[in-house]
Amino acid sequence: MSKHIAVLPGDGIGPEIMEQAVKVLNALGQDFEMEWADVGGVAYANHGHPLPQSTLDLAMQSDAVLFGAVGDFRYDTLERALRPEQAILGLRKHMGLFANLRPAKCFKELTGASTLRPEVVSGLDLLIVRELTGDIYFGTPRGRRTAVDGNFPGAPEAFDTMRYSVPEVERIARVAFEAARKRNKKVTSVDKANVLETSQLWRDTVTEVARDYPDVTLEHMYIDNAAMQLVRAPKALDVVLTGNIFGDILSDEASMLTGSIGMLASASLNDKKQGLFEPSHGSAPDIAGKNIANPIATILSAAMMLRYSLDMNDEADRIEDAVARVLEQGLRTGDIMSEGCQRVSCSEMGDAVRAALR
Ligand code: IPM
Ligand code: MG
């Protein structure tokens, strides 16, 4: 049966990077049924909502969603519910995509592209497992009101709620421990248990789940220390398990270890193996339409889609090998450019990866 993929390019550089990923997928010689739909600012412009019902229905019915990026400064002044970012948050929530996997791998050719010293990042290969449907991102109540207490009673204030339940922490912890079993059998759980109640519950729950995985080493780390260790000695980390907001921040930080955020793919999975696959970077409106964006994160996200949602491991390997080969050939988009390499455009990078498929 052909696999049904919802293709949602979104805003900014979304369409141009998506075109490259689709190009590579189409060259695999497999039977994919791809259906395209608007999402983000472009969906707001065309349908009055960043996540139109038709796009959501398409995503829910697909085997997997390939997502570009959303965000457009033209819509930043809209009420929050209509801003482009709500599209990705809505998809995560409606599809129940609680497990976000963000691998940060430093290709050997790119050790010089990182702002960190080559010996700190060479050979780096870590996996951030970020909880994606809870925490302060989705916690209620939230809103604005007049303060009745706090430092300035009577002043206008805003508030959000950080929340985690035990089953929410358990299921994401299991994803991390299972992943660790296939890697170096070490999980670093990141929280702020010295200050936050949610983090203490997180830590207690992860410790409980760890009993089922005696072969995996568990360590706990505070978020501030983790942010430091990630740039001090990132290779000491393997699987990093954390909540939604800490994971958001740490994954951007981790991307810099790989040379560029343009290299970082991600998978967001639910309990039915259905997934949404997107580059970890944003819509970069400043370089949109110039054909200079790095499509590799999107191409590698397509590879993750094949691996995690479509049971096509061999094809996923083929794409990942092709990306490695293109880097070996010395082809670079601007963000990862270094001396002696050949600078290519977004579409040329897509063509090169397609040509390098074996
Ligand atoms: C990410 C992004 C999103 C997030 C935004 C666009 C809502 O930063 O995927 O990391 O905060 O999760
Ligand atoms: Mg982010």
Side-chain angles (χ1 to χ4, degrees), residues 85 88-89 92 102 130 137 248:
E85 290 74 14
I88 185 64
L89 296 173
R92 288 171 183 172
R102 298 192 160 178
R130 168 190 177 195
Y137 268 57
D248 178 46

